[in-house]
Amino acid sequence: MSYNQIGYRNADGVLVTQGQTAVTQATSITTGVTCSAYSGVITTVSQTVAAGAEAEFTVTNTNVAATDVVVACIKTHTSAGEFIVGVSAVAAGSFKLRLTNLHASTAGNNVLVINFIVLKASA
C-alpha cells in the first residue's frame, strides 16, 4: 500500500500540512471559490447574514474525494453576529461550507476568515 505525503511532523511532533493556499470570495457570501490544496484559508466578502440565518458556498478542490473528511473553523471574525462554520457536504472535487449566524437579533455584516483542512480517508 502506498500513501501520498500531505504533511509532516515538525521537531515538536506537530502535524504540518503542505501546500496551503488562500482565496477570497469575489462577489457575495454565496459565491463559490476554488482552493485546491489540503489546507487553506478562505476570506469571505463583506457579507450581510441576517440574525438566525445561514449562507452556504461551494469550495472546488481537486484534492477532495467523496470519502474524505473536511474540517473547517473560523480563524478571524470581524463581523457583528455570532458565526459558526460547518461542512455541509463533501463530494469528489468539492465541499460545501455553511455559515450560520447564531445571534438572535444582530445581522452579520463584515468579513470572516475560515481555515480548512482535508483529511484523506483510506478504505
Side-chain angles (χ1 to χ4, degrees):
M1 185 177 295
S2 119
Y3 295 94
N4 290 328
Q5 185 175 357
I6 62 170
Y8 62 92
R9 291 202 181 273
N10 67 13
D12 296 325
V14 176
L15 179 63
V16 179
T17 60
Q18 299 181 119
Q20 185 179 47
T21 190
V23 297
T24 301
Q25 278 183 319
T27 54
S28 81
I29 195 66
T30 57
T31 299
V33 297
T34 298
C35 199
S36 288
Y38 291 109
S39 65
V41 178
I42 300 166
T43 302
T44 68
V45 297
S46 183
Q47 87 287 355
T48 299
V49 177
E54 297 178 325
E56 188 171 81
F57 64 93
T58 299
V59 179
T60 301
N61 186 324
T62 58
N63 293 317
V64 175
T67 55
D68 291 343
V69 175
V70 179
V71 180
C73 66
I74 295 175
K75 174 183 177 185
T76 306
H77 183 284
T78 61
S79 176
E82 296 174 13
F83 282 91
I84 60 170
V85 62
V87 178
S88 61
V90 178
S94 69
F95 59 92
K96 288 187 178 185
L97 292 179
R98 180 176 294 148
L99 301 169
T100 304
N101 182 356
L102 298 175
H103 201 281
S105 60
T106 302
N109 59 2
N110 213 327
V111 172
L112 299 174
V113 179
I114 302 164
N115 286 338
F116 76 87
I117 186 166
V118 177
L119 303 173
K120 298 304 288 178
S122 171

